[in-house]
Amino acid sequence: SATLTMGSNSNAALLAGAGAIGGAAAMWLAVRLNSRGRFTHLPLTGTPMFNSSSLLDRGAGKIRIRRSFCDTPDGQMLFRSAGDPSAPTMVLLHMNPRSSDEWTELMPLFAQDYFVLAPDLMGFGESDKPQRLLYVTDYAQHIVALLDELKIEKAVILGNHTGAFVTSEIAAAYPTRVTKVILANVAYFGEMGRKDLRNRYEEGWQIKSDGSHFWERWEARAHYVRSAELNLLLVMDDLRCHNYPLWACFAVGEYWNSFPKQ
């Protein structure tokens, strides 16, 4: 069965470098990985998310990150890959409304031990935008379709925020396809939180004739993202979601409502 294993081996290698944005806060995600494949969360405080020099070297190094597409029941899904395909597989699932770009700094680090896959969830980044309402179960099916196409039987799956909900669904619905799960930034949504998600889904992000939607997205995080370069990357992902329903917000809200039943 799929498990989240906590470890504390002092000889483990520190894998840090991806900034995870959630709500009105910013944090670093760090994971320690030892030779047995055990993980432990390392809280890092008071550390700037990125500086300009780190952004200029994003994903730099000897390990190449490739881009490809795979077919899913709802269209083509872009995915990034890095590492040796014969190594154990790790899948990285991003938050909403980001893309696989979220994992650019971490992929070369994980790829030292894993074949790493980081897809753009359907409707985000450069993946197709299905013209139907998607649920967390649909996003999970898309990831399994990716594993099927690449003939991968099992994988470690790390999900951040929205990606964490998809990760948990994969583990629950397809337990034989998962070796371990790592959940980051798993948000709790009370009734007000679910209402906010519904409102975001209904309002969406619209392209405005005066171009003010550009400035609105820039200002949305400017007060807590300390790097203009990083903010630009976030805004670029935002803009790909304009004039398209924010179905992931609805999907997460519905997934919360289904918890008691599950």
Side-chain angles (χ1 to χ4, degrees), residues 5 83 110 176 246:
T5 307
F110 283 125
T176 62
L246 297 178

Side-chain angles (χ1 to χ4, degrees), residues 172-224:
Y174 308 94
T176 62
R177 309 303 297 272
V178 179
T179 55
K180 291 183 177 68
V181 299
I182 305 97
L183 308 178
N185 280 329
V186 183
Y188 170 77
F189 297 100
E191 179 54 37
M192 291 300 295
R194 291 194 294 273
K195 181 179 180 181
D196 180 60
L197 288 173
R198 288 192 295 270
N199 290 339
R200 292 189 188 190
Y201 160 70
E202 292 172 357
E203 295 171 3
W205 290 337
Q206 302 302 318
I207 296 175
K208 299 180 180 178
S209 59
D210 62 358
S212 59
H213 58 287
F214 288 96
W215 184 248
E216 289 172 359
R217 296 316 308 158
W218 183 270
E219 285 290 295
R221 305 182 188 88
H223 63 289
Y224 64 85

